[in-house]
Amino acid sequence: MTNEKEQSLAIAEELKHKFEALGYAPTYSLDENAVLNICIGGDGTFLRAVHKTGFSSTPFVGVNTGTLGFFQEISILEIDKFIKNFDTGDYDIEKLDLLEGRVFSKEHKQYIHHSLNEFVIRSQDTSIIHLDVFIDDNHLQTFAGDALLVSTPSGSTAYNYSAGGAVLYRSLKGYQLTPLAPINSKAYRSLLNPLVIPSDSTLTIKRRSEDKSPTLVINDGLNIVCDNFDSIKIKTSDKWINKLQFNNNWYWLNIKDKFI
Ligand code: NAD
């Protein structure tokens, strides 16, 4: 999969020819029997590809033609090295956990979504949202503020990081609840800091009945407007995706390069 940038399309053609020369049969369409999904572009291209394949178990690799690349390990200068290393099996596979978000409507209908980066729960009209938050069966807080953001370890460097969340190394088990502009006053007591939740716990976020505007659930940047939203139950999914990793130091080099 590639974004529409001229450079990405040219890289896609180059990869196609080079893989064909080694006896592979690359296609631009999705193929369940593929040995590799290549995403050419930025992190957004990687996210879209993962969603489009329905979180395929075929490994993914990202070739970076964007500015930031947290999923996109291969730079355009390293394409020949990447092809050689892939062909000789010189790589590791990273398992990236996903979140499962089960949205319940007031009519008790359920809609299941998966996210690689994060879910954000806010009101569609940007008014203050009031949410009851439970971890397993324990009521933790009644949140009031802009939104609650729930991120995976690999999503912790995205929106979560901008919202003051911690960076969680990708293989850590668990997920993070981060408040966006929480109100802390005599009227409301919200946790001001992010909370890391173990992967075997379920987080339930329920809209308070006094809120009247529709709820917006944002999944990896894609908006889901929920008119009759009652609650969302979030946990670490039983599904995951596989990502090729060529350089074990890349994660920390990238953090330093992009953030510091
Ligand atoms: P976009 O084009 O607006 O990209 C947003 C930025 O997020 C890009 O710079 C991208 O490189 C970066 N990004 C995405 N995933 C990342 C990750 N795992 N680690 C570090 N950086 C990452 O939107 P898009 O391409 O559709 O991407 C959607 C993502 O944008 C969402 O999942 C969300 O995390 C992020 N986002 C961030 C903010 C913010 O930081 N204030 C606000 C909205 C959305």
Side-chain angles (χ1 to χ4, degrees), residues 43-44 47-48 68 70-71 117-118 154-155 157-159 162 220-221:
D43 290 320
L47 287 167
R48 299 299 153 259
L68 278 178
F70 276 80
F71 293 116
N117 267 351
E118 78 284 290
S154 45
T157 46
Y159 200 171
S162 309
D220 291 347

Side-chain angles (χ1 to χ4, degrees), residues 30 37 46-60 96-100 112-117 119 152 219-220 222 237-242:
L30 291 178
N37 290 313
F46 191 93
L47 287 167
R48 299 299 153 259
V50 166
H51 278 261
K52 199 168 173 187
T53 63
F55 305 93
S56 159
S57 56
T58 300
F60 292 84
L96 301 186
D97 280 340
L98 306 170
L99 290 175
E100 177 194 287
I112 299 179
H113 303 277
H114 290 89
S115 82
L116 175 57
N117 267 351
F119 288 111
T152 61
N219 178 3
D220 291 347
L222 299 173
S237 173
D238 299 334
K239 291 186 185 188
W240 67 88
I241 63 150
N242 297 307

Side-chain angles (χ1 to χ4, degrees), residues 191-242:
L191 272 185
L192 297 180
N193 298 102
L195 189 70
V196 178
I197 298 167
S199 55
D200 57 359
S201 283
T202 300
L203 176 71
T204 303
I205 297 176
K206 191 172 164 56
R207 190 101 189 247
R208 302 272 298 185
S209 55
E210 63 261 34
D211 283 1
K212 298 297 172 221
S213 63
T215 307
L216 190 60
V217 175
I218 311 173
N219 178 3
D220 291 347
L222 299 173
N223 290 353
I224 309 164
V225 179
C226 311
D227 284 330
N228 288 315
F229 177 93
D230 174 75
S231 56
I232 181 168
K233 279 188 184 297
I234 298 177
K235 61 176 191 151
T236 299
S237 173
D238 299 334
K239 291 186 185 188
W240 67 88
I241 63 150
N242 297 307

Side-chain angles (χ1 to χ4, degrees), residues 60-93:
F60 292 84
V61 69
V63 177
N64 193 21
T65 61
T67 45
L68 278 178
F70 276 80
F71 293 116
Q72 310 293 82
E73 181 176 343
I74 310 301
S75 85
I76 49 177
L77 302 173
E78 291 174 326
I79 283 188
D80 289 335
K81 191 170 153 205
F82 149 59
I83 295 172
K84 180 167 166 284
N85 288 347
F86 176 72
D87 192 45
T88 55
D90 193 3
Y91 57 81
D92 292 322
I93 300 249

